[in-house]
Amino acid sequence: MNVEIIFFFLVAALAIVSAVFMITRRNPVKSVLFLIVNFFCLAVVYLILHAQFIAIIQILVYAGAIMVLFLFVIMLLNLGDESRLAEKTTYRYWIAAIAAGAALVEIALGVGVSLGGTHGSFHPAAAEIGTVEFIGRSLYSEYLFPFEVTSLILLAAMVGVIVLAKKKFH
Amino acid sequence: MEILISLIKIVIVLFVLLTSVAYIVLLERRVAAAIQNRIGPNRVGWQGLLQPLADVVKLVMKEDIVPRQANKFIHDLAPIISIGVALATFAVIPFGNRIALFGHDIKLQIADVNIGILYILALTSLGVYGVTLSGWSSNSKYSLLGGMRSSAQMISYELAMGLSLIGVIMIAGSLRLDTIVEAQVAWRWNILLQPIGFITFVVSSFAETNRLPFDLPEAEPELVGGYHTEYSGLKFGLFFLAEYANMVTASAIITTVYLGGWQVPFVHSLGLSDVSVSIIQVLGFCFKVGMLIMFFIIIRWTLPRFRYDQLMNIGWKVMLPLAIANLLATGLVILLKWV
């Protein structure tokens, strides 16, 4: 067991614990905080995999921008106790339970399959893939079309937000 | 050995940073006094030079008061986040070139990562949490208003900040901070190549560090004290420390990205030994940072505060379009190979 693997298990355990706490906390602000801890753990896992760019983007976009907006909305609406927000309908619980069960089976199967396989060796070129230069080059050559389509979708969302926000003034 | 050298660098940088922060507070009070035709603190020690120590003792001795309805854990956590983020940014800033000491070739930068600029942007975006959470957890109207204002302000100005940096990244062709500094050799400083980017970045830095004229989050006449209204003693001291540490970090980033970092023009033509050249470069870096801090202080005591809607308008309708125009112009120039 080398240091990297021990470190991985520590971070992975922390990620799972924070994810469980995120769901079980009654206070929405605490849920947000545990989700941020979870995102940080994921970023560290990416770093262990030599994917520096994805790690920093994980923090920059998810922890730094999206979660700030979550926190902002929760504070603005002053969401207190979760019990007031509880859903009355029961069929949603059943659908959620089925979906969660399916995901669990899928993960169990995936882990079972990967345990049966053999360990590959670490390819030195793999570290290259995580760098900014590599991601930039493949994003603007190989994956140019999906990239442009994504930017169009984002543009449509932005226009939609502006239209919704402008409505008030008419 | 590598780890030992890194540890020594971390200790030295933190010591210099925290000491200089203490004396910047004194400098700010003396400059403010001079601008307002007063004398300022000059009683403790010669010319008030021991005043920071007296202030620290006072803050440590004060009682730590937490409001009864406050969320104790988050109330304690918020100042730690603020100061942690403020200090961690310094990890990637190169404060000098390589120096050969005692047979070791030492790089004068704590962590040389190839995503330096993204690391700085990620940390500045995390700084919002300290302010927002302190405002929310205090369970007080004024704190909450201060926290909300600051998060809105920081989110708005982060965009202009990031976009103005892209111009510099395009010129240097790297996200590595030491490559960016090396590209600014002699007088090829980015302030001359990117004047508009420099202006938008400096203005955004003022907003990100919550300094006047953009100190809406802690506008005393309206909000009592802003997000740290309900803090006292050492926890208030941490916020205070974080504010000034942020100012030093912002000055260091501006120096690194736009003012040539540790580059001192004509230093190689003097015929000095390598070690003395390195030392002069470190001193040059400190000098540039010091000048910028002086600029921050003088601006604070010269300009009045903006109104909140004016602040948002400047951020979204002036700074952001300027930064985008700068980006397009830089792209065009690089594409046509004019530089």
Side-chain angles (χ1 to χ4, degrees):
Chain A
M1 276 263 252
N2 58 10
V3 185
E4 224 164 68
I5 292 177
I6 299 171
F7 196 60
F8 167 76
F9 277 112
L10 274 177
V11 174
L14 188 60
I16 293 170
V17 169
S18 58
V20 171
F21 269 61
M22 189 277 257
I23 299 168
T24 54
R25 291 305 91 183
R26 289 250 165 231
N27 187 332
V29 173
K30 282 189 184 161
S31 292
V32 167
L33 288 183
F34 279 111
L35 192 55
I36 296 167
V37 174
N38 184 270
F39 284 154
F40 266 92
C41 296
L42 283 187
V44 174
V45 172
Y46 289 139
L47 272 184
I48 296 174
L49 292 170
H50 298 272
Q52 290 190 348
F53 183 71
I54 297 178
I56 207 77
I57 289 297
Q58 170 86 12
I59 293 177
L60 191 63
V61 175
Y62 284 97
I66 293 179
M67 292 325 284
V68 173
L69 289 181
F70 270 46
L71 208 59
F72 206 75
V73 169
I74 288 172
M75 286 177 184
L76 210 62
L77 300 179
N78 201 11
L79 299 178
D81 211 351
E82 203 187 49
S83 54
R84 283 195 292 128
L85 305 165
E87 299 274 352
K88 294 251 160 36
T89 48
T90 47
Y91 70 94
R92 292 194 191 182
Y93 286 114
W94 287 108
I95 295 172
I98 293 167
L104 194 68
V105 169
E106 194 182 337
I107 292 169
L109 284 177
V111 170
V113 168
S114 66
L115 281 180
T118 49
H119 250 289
S121 59
F122 181 72
H123 198 271
E128 276 286 297
I129 295 175
T131 61
V132 189
E133 289 85 355
F134 183 87
I135 290 176
R137 212 171 292 129
S138 51
L139 203 59
Y140 287 100
S141 55
E142 239 177 293
Y143 300 102
L144 186 62
F145 183 67
F147 178 77
E148 292 293 338
V149 170
T150 316
S151 67
L152 260 183
I153 295 171
L154 285 175
L155 187 67
M158 260 155 76
V159 172
V161 167
I162 292 170
V163 169
L164 282 178
K166 277 251 168 190
K167 227 177 186 174
K168 274 194 300 209
F169 299 110
H170 286 302
Chain B
M1 200 61 215
E2 282 292 307
I3 295 173
L4 192 67
I5 291 176
S6 293
L7 273 179
I8 293 172
K9 280 195 282 194
I10 292 171
V11 169
I12 291 176
V13 167
L14 277 185
F15 178 76
V16 172
L17 189 61
L18 291 176
T19 320
S20 57
V21 162
Y23 279 92
I24 289 163
V25 177
L26 178 69
L27 179 73
E28 168 132 48
R29 292 175 68 182
R30 291 306 297 264
V31 171
I35 289 176
Q36 298 171 341
N37 210 1
R38 295 184 282 120
I39 296 170
N42 68 344
R43 293 288 131 182
V44 193
W46 181 76
Q47 290 294 322
L49 276 181
L50 293 176
Q51 184 71 40
L53 282 177
D55 286 345
V56 169
V57 171
K58 185 194 82 176
L59 281 173
V60 173
M61 308 278 274
K62 287 238 170 162
E63 185 189 353
D64 174 32
I65 301 166
V66 181
R68 205 189 307 156
Q69 294 288 314
N71 191 323
K72 180 88 172 62
F73 178 70
I74 298 179
H75 195 264
D76 289 347
L77 186 70
I80 300 174
I81 297 177
S82 276
I83 189 73
V85 166
L87 295 179
T89 316
F90 234 87
V92 293
I93 290 174
F95 46 91
N97 201 354
R98 301 178 162 281
I99 187 168
L101 277 182
F102 313 116
H104 290 286
D105 185 34
I106 302 170
K107 200 171 173 60
L108 294 179
Q109 181 184 18
I110 293 175
D112 179 23
V113 287
N114 72 0
I115 42 169
I117 283 194
L118 287 178
Y119 174 85
I120 288 175
L121 287 176
L123 280 183
T124 45
S125 67
L126 293 179
V128 185
Y129 284 115
V131 178
T132 319
L133 289 176
S134 64
W136 177 80
S137 66
S138 304
N139 203 15
S140 137
K141 292 185 199 68
Y142 298 114
S143 302
L144 187 65
L145 279 173
M148 294 301 243
R149 276 186 179 189
S150 119
S151 29
Q153 172 178 336
M154 286 169 136
I155 294 169
S156 309
Y157 277 86
E158 249 163 41
L159 291 171
M161 203 170 179
L163 281 175
S164 30
L165 280 177
I166 293 178
V168 173
I169 298 170
M170 280 156 72
I171 289 177
S174 172
L175 293 172
R176 230 174 235 278
L177 284 168
D178 59 338
T179 318
I180 289 172
V181 174
E182 274 157 24
Q184 305 180 59
V185 74
W187 280 106
R188 275 180 57 91
W189 289 6
N190 280 328
I191 183 176
L192 304 172
L193 299 174
Q194 290 273 306
I196 297 171
F198 175 73
I199 292 169
T200 50
F201 189 80
V202 170
V203 173
S204 314
S205 301
F206 273 89
E208 285 281 316
T209 50
N210 292 332
R211 294 278 300 183
L212 254 153
F214 300 123
D215 72 334
L216 271 299
E218 43 184 301
E220 297 93 347
E222 311 160 31
L223 292 179
V224 189
Y227 58 88
H228 50 50
T229 305
E230 304 292 346
Y231 281 84
S232 57
L234 208 53
K235 286 199 282 183
F236 172 76
L238 282 184
F239 274 124
F240 201 63
L241 200 65
E243 190 191 323
Y244 282 86
N246 271 327
M247 199 165 95
V248 180
T249 314
S251 306
I253 296 169
I254 296 171
T255 307
T256 308
V257 176
Y258 287 101
L259 298 178
W262 41 259
Q263 303 270 13
V264 179
F266 313 122
V267 72
H268 287 290
S269 57
L270 293 175
L272 294 165
S273 67
D274 283 350
V275 174
S276 37
V277 165
S278 294
I279 291 171
I280 288 174
Q281 283 171 336
V282 173
L283 290 178
F285 177 80
C286 296
F287 176 74
K288 290 174 189 171
V289 173
M291 284 293 114
L292 276 171
I293 288 169
M294 201 64 192
F295 178 67
F296 267 84
I297 291 174
I298 291 174
I299 288 282
R300 171 167 179 185
W301 297 100
T302 322
L303 293 182
R305 179 181 298 130
F306 280 99
R307 226 169 47 221
Y308 191 60
D309 56 324
Q310 292 173 328
L311 172 97
M312 282 299 169
N313 274 343
I314 295 172
W316 289 100
K317 294 181 183 165
V318 181
M319 287 302 145
L320 195 62
L322 261 183
I324 293 175
N326 178 53
L327 184 63
L328 290 176
T330 313
L332 191 69
V333 168
I334 291 177
L335 196 67
L336 297 175
K337 295 196 170 63
W338 284 343
V339 175

